[in-house]
Amino acid sequence: AAGGAGTAGATGGGAGGGAVPAAATSVKIGQPATVDFADKTAKVTTKLEITVTGVEVGSVQDFTAAKLSIGDLGGRTPMYVSYTIKNLGDASLSFTAPDAKFVLFDTTGKKGLNVFTAAAPLPKCTSAKFQGLAKGAEVKGCTIISTPGNTPAAVGYTDLVDPLKLQASWTK
C-alpha cells in the first residue's frame, strides 16, 4: 500500500473490546519476529523478519500541516507504526504490500483501522517500497492506523488465512 494523501479508508473492524488477541509469537517493540507472508494476487509466498521499531501518536494537524486530506477520522487518533521488514525467502516482493497485515490495538482491546492515503507521503510516516525486495534485503517504513483511544497497547501482524488471528505481536 503506497503512502500519501487522499481518502481515509479502513480494513478490518474497529469494534470489539477486551483483551488483545494472543499471537503465536509475542515480542517487545524493537525485537524481530518471523512471520509467513502470502499474496494470492501476486502469487508470492515467503518468510519475513519484521521488527516494529516504534509506535507514535499522531494528530490530524500532522496531515493539515503537510497539506494532506485524510477525510473524517470520526474522532479517532492516527498512530504511526514504524517497522523494518526483511525478506528471508527466495520470492521477490514486487507488487505486494506486506505492511497491509499490520493491526494495532488500544488499551481496551479495540482494533484500529488502517488509514489509506493515495497521493503524496506524510513526512512523519512514509510507507516502504517493496518492489524488487529480494532475499536478504530489508526495507524500513511506517503505516498509519487510527484508534478510538490515544494509547496503543500492541501491534500485531495477522495470520495468512484468518485475519482475526495474529502471527506476531509487539508490545512496549
Side-chain angles (χ1 to χ4, degrees), residues 4 20 22 27 34 52 54 57 59 63-64 88 92 108 133 141 161 166:
V20 173
V27 296
T34 300
V52 171
V57 178
S59 71
F63 293 88
T64 55
L88 300 177
S92 172
T108 67
L133 191 66
V161 178
L166 301 179

Side-chain angles (χ1 to χ4, degrees), residues 23-113:
T25 302
S26 296
V27 296
K28 298 289 184 192
I29 289 176
Q31 296 178 321
T34 300
V35 299
D36 293 314
F37 174 73
D39 184 317
K40 292 177 185 172
T41 305
K43 297 182 179 152
V44 170
T45 59
T46 191
K47 284 208 178 291
L48 303 174
E49 179 183 89
I50 299 177
T51 305
V52 171
T53 56
V55 179
E56 179 183 346
V57 178
S59 71
V60 173
Q61 289 77 19
D62 295 337
F63 293 88
T64 55
K67 296 182 173 60
L68 302 174
S69 172
I70 57 167
D72 181 16
L73 287 178
R76 300 171 66 83
T77 303
M79 301 282 178
Y80 308 140
V81 178
S82 300
Y83 57 82
T84 300
I85 295 178
K86 182 176 184 178
N87 186 0
L88 300 177
D90 292 326
S92 172
L93 294 185
S94 294
F95 307 108
T96 64
D99 56 340
K101 294 188 181 286
F102 281 115
V103 292
L104 182 102
F105 297 90
D106 69 12
T107 54
T108 67
K110 290 184 180 162
K111 183 178 168 187
L113 302 173

Side-chain angles (χ1 to χ4, degrees), residues 91-161:
S92 172
L93 294 185
S94 294
F95 307 108
T96 64
D99 56 340
K101 294 188 181 286
F102 281 115
V103 292
L104 182 102
F105 297 90
D106 69 12
T107 54
T108 67
K110 290 184 180 162
K111 183 178 168 187
L113 302 173
N114 288 350
V115 176
F116 291 108
T117 55
L122 179 68
K124 287 189 170 194
C125 188
T126 303
S127 295
K129 305 246 186 274
F130 296 101
Q131 281 64 30
L133 191 66
K135 183 175 185 172
E138 70 178 33
V139 65
K140 294 177 189 239
C142 181
T143 192
I144 305 167
I145 301 173
S146 67
T147 61
N150 61 3
T151 307
V155 176
Y157 197 81
T158 59
D159 185 71
L160 292 173
V161 178

